[in-house]
Amino acid sequence: MRLGAIFPHNEIGTDPDAITTWATAVQNLGYQHIMAFDHVLGAGTRNRPGWRGYTSADAFHEVFVLFGYLAAVTTTVELVTGVLIVPQRQTALVAKQAAEIDLLSKGRLRLGIGVGWNDVEYHALGQDFTTRGKRAEEQIAVLRALWAEPEITFEGRWHSIPDAGINPRPARGTIPLWLGGHSTATLDRVGRLGDGWLPLVPPGPQAVEMLRRVHHAAQHAGRDPHDIGIEVKVSLPTGSMDSRLPFLHDWRALGATHATVETHGAGRTLREHLAVLEEAARTYQRYGDT
């Protein structure tokens, strides 16, 4: 499995030098990708009693701008969104921004996408929360068409593009699209359309059943299920990587291709985040050698 690190949004702060230090250290430690989360707006809680989830007090660096910066200060690590909430955005603009990041990073972008859970963001961004899944599916088709061809004509339920295109386009003619989520509709979408899946469930019967659904959808669409990557998250708010090796072992047995280490959630300093990542990388290397 390829090993990555999750950008500690809520704890990294706003100092560009600290962001550079974190990203270059992650690269130097041998991590193969950096994953960043996405939220445009956080909900205020004053008039939302019982609100659960991220709020306006939680910091999230804007992911495309962040990746433009990281493309300049790193050279080898893949840049991964985990996940970009595409249905609350204009699709052509996402295609343009993603192509630019891919260009500036010399082909290092992997776009993890999802439909999200925060209706407050959708409302504030002028998009319909209730149709987000179906809209995301049409967006996948539009994104891939805009990346592949100089001009396209597309007529769908949400998109009308009359003989137009983006320039520049990604050198590869595409950008990998990995899907996050666990609903039945999402799992079918992963199998039919996704380059990979970003599950947030532990290995076990539930994960096995979800993978069975993904593989069935892939086979029904004429795809090889083994071509679909799987990336799991290894949370280390406390404890060590040693304690998470059974989790990694079981997911690897299920076909996981990537694992990403999450260190935020315990109020760590920059130095403490990097110390945890250094220990995790050493432990993972020993695990990979066994």
Side-chain angles (χ1 to χ4, degrees):
M1 288 187 287
R2 295 173 64 86
L3 189 65
I6 292 177
F7 183 75
H9 291 268
N10 298 337
E11 296 167 4
I12 192 71
T14 57
D15 180 359
D17 291 338
I19 292 172
T20 299
T21 297
W22 182 89
T24 54
V26 165
Q27 180 173 264
N28 292 338
L29 287 170
Y31 285 88
Q32 294 167 293
H33 59 276
I34 290 171
M35 176 179 284
F37 298 164
D38 167 54
H39 279 289
V40 177
L41 296 153
T45 57
R46 183 175 55 184
N47 298 314
R48 295 186 177 92
W51 176 265
R52 299 182 66 181
Y54 291 115
T55 74
S56 57
D58 294 300
F60 284 88
H61 290 267
E62 202 290 313
V63 68
F64 280 133
V65 177
L66 173 67
F67 280 0
Y69 183 78
L70 295 185
V73 301
T74 62
T75 57
T76 61
V77 287
E78 188 181 30
L79 304 173
V80 185
T81 57
V83 293
L84 186 78
I85 311 302
V86 287
Q88 64 187 21
R89 289 174 164 79
Q90 296 172 304
T91 313
L93 183 57
V94 171
K96 179 83 171 180
Q97 291 171 313
E100 187 70 16
I101 296 298
D102 199 62
L103 172 73
L104 295 174
S105 66
K106 299 181 180 179
R108 289 188 281 138
L109 178 64
R110 174 159 49 100
L111 204 63
I113 63 173
V115 299
W117 54 269
N118 189 346
D119 60 329
V120 173
E121 281 189 286
Y122 274 84
H123 179 79
L125 292 167
Q127 299 298 334
D128 185 355
F129 184 74
T130 63
T131 60
R132 64 196 189 280
K134 292 180 179 178
R135 182 164 185 259
E137 189 157 326
E138 187 171 295
Q139 287 181 294
I140 290 171
V142 173
L143 288 170
R144 285 178 168 154
L146 286 169
W147 290 330
E149 302 295 339
E151 300 94 22
I152 69 168
T153 294
F154 188 98
E155 289 294 333
R157 180 177 173 185
W158 291 277
H159 300 83
S160 178
I161 303 175
D163 190 23
I166 62 169
N167 191 0
R169 293 180 293 117
R172 295 172 285 178
T174 192
I175 293 169
L177 285 173
W178 288 46
L179 280 60
H182 306 95
S183 71
T184 297
T186 294
L187 297 173
D188 288 344
R189 198 174 296 127
V190 172
R192 289 184 291 107
L193 301 172
D195 295 307
W197 180 39
L198 300 154
L200 292 175
V201 294
Q206 183 184 23
V208 169
E209 182 56 36
M210 289 179 172
L211 282 169
R212 186 178 293 117
R213 186 162 195 108
V214 169
H215 291 172
H216 175 76
Q219 290 166 344
H220 190 70
R223 306 179 66 203
D224 184 345
H226 297 99
D227 291 339
I228 300 171
I230 302 170
E231 175 150 1
V232 298
K233 182 175 73 172
V234 183
S235 295
L236 293 176
T238 58
S240 67
M241 191 68 158
D242 275 313
S243 66
R244 303 297 284 157
L245 290 182
F247 173 93
L248 288 171
H249 175 80
D250 291 347
W251 259 117
R252 186 164 70 173
L254 291 176
T257 56
H258 297 64
T260 309
V261 178
E262 179 182 50
T263 61
H264 68 264
R268 291 185 172 106
T269 65
L270 173 62
R271 182 175 296 179
E272 289 168 340
H273 279 289
L274 293 177
V276 173
L277 288 172
E278 183 176 5
E279 182 275 333
R282 286 199 305 265
T283 300
Y284 189 76
Q285 182 61 49
R286 292 196 301 270
Y287 167 69
D289 290 340
T290 60

